[in-house]
Amino acid sequence: MTALAVSFFHSDTWYVIRNLLIFFGAIFWLAVAYWVYKDARRRIEDPWLVAMATLLGLVPPFLGTLVYMLFRPPEYLEDVRERDLEIKELEERLSRYELRCPVCRAGVDPTYLVCPVCTTKLKQACETCKAPLEPLWQVCPHCETPIASTPTLDLGPPVEPRRRRRQRPRA
Ligand SMILES: [Zn+2]
Ligand SMILES: [Zn+2]
C-alpha cells in the first residue's frame, strides 16, 4: 500500500495534485450550488426563480454564487410571514380596543347609532341622510346639512345653572 503510494507519488506527483484540486473544486462547486438552492428556497417563493438562482449558483462556477448573493432578497420568507402575522394581530387587537360601547364595553361598529346590547345612544343621525355623525362635527360631511348641537350622551343638566344656584345663598 505504502510502496504503491510512494511509487505513485514519485511517478507523476503533479497529476495527483491536479486531480485532487479538480476533485475538491468540483465538490466545493456542487456544495456551493446546493447552498444557493437551499438559500433561494428560503427567500424566494416562485419555484422558477429558485431554479434560476440554482442555475446561477452552478454557472458560472462561484462567480454566479457571488452574483446571487448580491441580488438575493434580503429577508427569509419565514420572517416576512411572521412579521405580516404580527402586524395583522396588532391591527386586530387595536381595532378590538378602539370601538367599544362606553357603558357596557360591547364591541360596536363606527356606523352604529345605538349600542345593540345596552341600547345606549352612541351617535346622532343626520336629519337628512341618516348617516351617523361624530360628536364634534358641525355639518354632515355626506349631505352638508348643518347639525343642531344636541349632546349625544345625556350627561345630566348643563353646568351653568347649577353654579348660579350654589352662588346665590352665599351672596
Ligand atoms: Zn352598550
Ligand atoms: Zn347628512
Side-chain angles (χ1 to χ4, degrees):
M1 188 71 188
T2 38
L4 193 89
V6 166
S7 68
F8 205 78
F9 237 78
H10 276 284
S11 57
D12 36 22
T13 314
W14 166 240
Y15 282 112
V16 172
I17 290 171
R18 199 194 65 174
N19 287 346
L20 276 174
L21 278 175
I22 289 172
F23 177 68
F24 284 118
I27 284 182
F28 190 60
W29 171 54
L30 288 175
V32 162
Y34 181 62
W35 174 84
V36 168
Y37 166 68
K38 275 209 315 189
D39 191 74
R41 260 203 342 187
R42 290 185 71 186
R43 291 171 196 269
I44 305 168
E45 213 154 4
D46 187 4
W48 276 105
L49 282 176
V50 173
M52 290 285 283
T54 311
L55 201 72
L56 192 69
L58 284 165
V59 189
F62 306 119
L63 198 72
T65 304
L66 201 71
V67 171
Y68 165 76
M69 283 176 81
L70 288 175
F71 292 102
R72 67 183 179 180
E75 284 178 303
Y76 288 135
L77 290 171
E78 217 176 291
D79 295 342
V80 174
R81 273 184 212 127
E82 208 169 282
R83 199 188 45 219
D84 284 354
L85 266 177
E86 263 170 30
I87 289 172
K88 207 180 275 178
E89 220 170 80
L90 201 72
E91 274 174 358
E92 257 170 42
R93 218 182 297 159
L94 276 175
S95 66
R96 234 180 287 150
Y97 282 117
E98 229 168 34
L99 294 159
R100 288 193 176 277
C101 167
V103 177
C104 71
R105 312 302 300 163
V108 291
D109 198 85
T111 57
Y112 289 178
L113 298 173
V114 170
C115 171
V117 178
C118 69
T119 69
T120 301
K121 179 95 176 145
L122 298 171
K123 273 172 193 172
Q124 201 184 342
C126 171
E127 282 170 24
T128 315
C129 71
K130 304 295 174 203
L133 304 171
E134 294 296 330
L136 290 173
W137 290 353
Q138 301 287 316
V139 67
C140 173
H142 306 283
C143 67
E144 292 183 55
T145 304
I147 298 161
S149 56
T150 46
T152 312
L153 284 168
D154 189 21
L155 299 169
V159 189
E160 279 295 314
R162 249 195 227 164
R163 259 191 207 161
R164 271 180 209 157
R165 234 179 273 155
R166 268 185 212 159
Q167 278 168 352
R168 247 178 223 164
R170 274 186 207 164

